[in-house]
Structure formats: C-alpha cells, structure tokens
Amino acid sequence: MGLLPNSPRRRRRVAWIGGALAALLAFGLAIVLLPKADPAPESALSGSAAEEQALPSLRLTRARRAEIDSVVHRFVESAVTRGDPPAAWALASRSMRAGVARDAWDRGDLPGVTPFPAAAVRDVSWSVAYRAPSRVGLDVLVVAKPGSGQRSLVYQADLVLENGRLLVETWTPEATLTAGAAAPAKTGASSATAAKAPSSQGRLDARWLLLPAGILLVLLGSAAFVIVRHAVRSRRAYRRYREHAGT
C-alpha cells in the first residue's frame, strides 16, 4: 500500500482524518473567502440635516390635520386654478418663492404648479404620503366635474414647516386619472417612511466562484476517503483469505 501504515486500525484513522481535513479545509475557505455583507453607506447628510433625520416625524394632531386641509384647499383655489396667485404667495415656502420673481408669480407663473381649470373642480382631497421631522408629503387629488372635459389629477405636494406654519414647497402633477377614480381618504397616518433609501442592485462578488471550488474539495475528500477505506478493507479481506488458505 505504499505510504499507508501496515496497521489496519491506523489505515482507518488515516482515512477518517483525511476526509475530515478536506471537509474542514472547504468549510474554512467558504468562511474566509466568501464576501461579507457590505457595510452600510455613510450618510451624505451633514450638520443640521443629519440631526433632523434622527428626530421623530411630524405629529399629525387634529389641529395639524386641519391646517393641512386648509393649506391644500386654499392653495388649490388660489394657485392651482390661478384664481388668486398673489394670495398663494403667503402659502408658499421660501424655497418655492425663490424660484420666481414676485411679479411673475402674481401673473400666474408658479414654478412647477400645473394649472387646473377652476370651473372643472368638483372636489379636492388628500392623503399622507410620508412624514418627516419638519415636513409632510401629500397626494392631493383634484376631481374633475363630469362633462367638463377635464381629467382628474393627482398632485404630489410637499409641505414644509417654517416658523411653526406648514407651507407649500413643491406641487407637481403625479398622475392623470380617468373618470370615476376614487379619491384618497384624508388621513393623519404615514403610509411611507419619510426618507427612502436609494435602491441598489446587488452584484455577484467574484469570490462566490470559490464556493464551487470548496464543494469540489469536499467531494474529492469524500472520494479519497471512500477509496482509502475500500483499499484497506480489500487488503484486510485478502490477508484473511491468505491466512485461511494457508491453514
């Protein structure tokens, strides 16, 4: 048998040890070489923005919901329908007003606010899309009157807290609905988290290719164990046969 010891017991030990070592080697390679979970990306927020993210979301009390309802309806009446753009100036946040001159605003040039004909407005309703410490996101549905030739619109609105008041920061169209679309119910509960993590697609690390190598090592170790064990048993059986034939 060459390098194998003469003792059958020792041969069995060699076979068991060889198989165990091969399995341990494959397991160790899998632990060491397989990719670990990527660390969480460092936040791009700094200073007050990072601190704000750690604060609790804006509470939508009864008074706060009433304020939201008032701002939404007043903004639709004055800004969305262009019924009274100067009055809508007081409902806009600093960032929204910064994008346009006051005289242009008063003429109805409102940044990002797609107009809706006043005569076609049947109803206005809203639902909460997200909440943050100093802002709330809404889905605002402006329902068109039947026969007006106008389709209902869903606006995505962001209200920001400035000096204790909620003001409109953005008001952009989100979807156009067909006739008979149901209005979202007014709610104070958040239906989505305030900050949405950017989606990322997983990439297969090249080290995962070592997994088949580890499996192959296990298979080779098992095969070696079987071969050695068979050789040992065959030699023992042959020796017994010769001893029996010689007696």
Side-chain angles (χ1 to χ4, degrees):
M1 293 294 295
L3 297 177
L4 291 177
N6 294 326
S7 172
R9 180 177 298 178
R10 290 183 178 179
R11 293 193 190 99
R12 288 195 298 271
R13 289 178 180 176
V14 169
W16 280 107
I17 292 173
L21 287 177
L24 288 175
L25 178 61
F27 184 71
L29 285 173
I31 293 178
V32 174
L33 298 178
L34 288 181
K36 308 298 188 300
D38 293 334
E42 296 182 0
S43 174
L45 299 177
S46 60
S48 60
E51 294 174 1
E52 180 181 353
Q53 193 179 48
L55 296 175
S57 298
L58 183 69
R59 288 186 59 198
L60 296 183
T61 61
R62 180 177 297 181
R64 189 65 78 186
R65 291 195 296 269
E67 180 187 8
I68 293 173
D69 194 62
S70 175
V71 170
V72 167
H73 281 82
R74 289 162 57 200
F75 195 82
V76 170
E77 293 170 0
S78 60
V80 178
T81 64
R82 302 303 195 267
D84 189 3
W89 182 265
L91 301 174
S93 68
R94 288 189 295 268
S95 62
M96 188 177 197
R97 294 196 302 262
V100 61
R102 179 60 190 269
D103 58 345
W105 180 286
D106 291 345
R107 292 194 303 268
D109 186 9
L110 280 62
V113 181
T114 300
F116 196 100
V121 177
R122 177 184 179 183
D123 189 25
V124 177
S125 60
W126 54 271
S127 63
V128 177
Y130 73 86
R131 290 183 297 143
S134 61
R135 64 177 56 241
V136 59
L138 306 174
D139 290 326
V140 181
L141 174 60
V142 180
V143 182
K145 291 180 180 179
S148 64
Q150 178 70 32
R151 289 190 174 185
S152 301
L153 279 179
V154 177
Y155 292 91
Q156 185 177 22
D158 293 295
L159 275 57
V160 63
L161 199 61
E162 290 184 3
N163 299 322
R165 298 175 55 213
L166 282 173
L167 301 175
V168 178
E169 186 176 60
T170 62
W171 191 287
T172 55
E174 186 176 21
T176 302
L177 306 181
T178 57
K186 297 178 183 178
T187 174
S190 173
S191 63
T193 57
K196 297 182 180 179
S199 60
S200 58
Q201 297 180 346
R203 292 178 298 177
L204 182 63
D205 195 293
R207 288 176 293 179
W208 278 104
L209 298 177
L210 294 173
L211 182 59
I215 297 175
L216 180 61
L217 285 175
V218 173
L219 295 177
L220 290 176
S222 301
F225 168 73
V226 172
I227 293 173
V228 171
R229 184 180 63 177
H230 178 72
V232 170
R233 288 183 176 178
S234 298
R235 182 169 180 177
R236 290 178 60 186
Y238 181 68
R239 184 174 62 250
R240 289 177 181 175
Y241 168 75
R242 291 186 61 184
E243 291 175 353
H244 178 75
T247 57

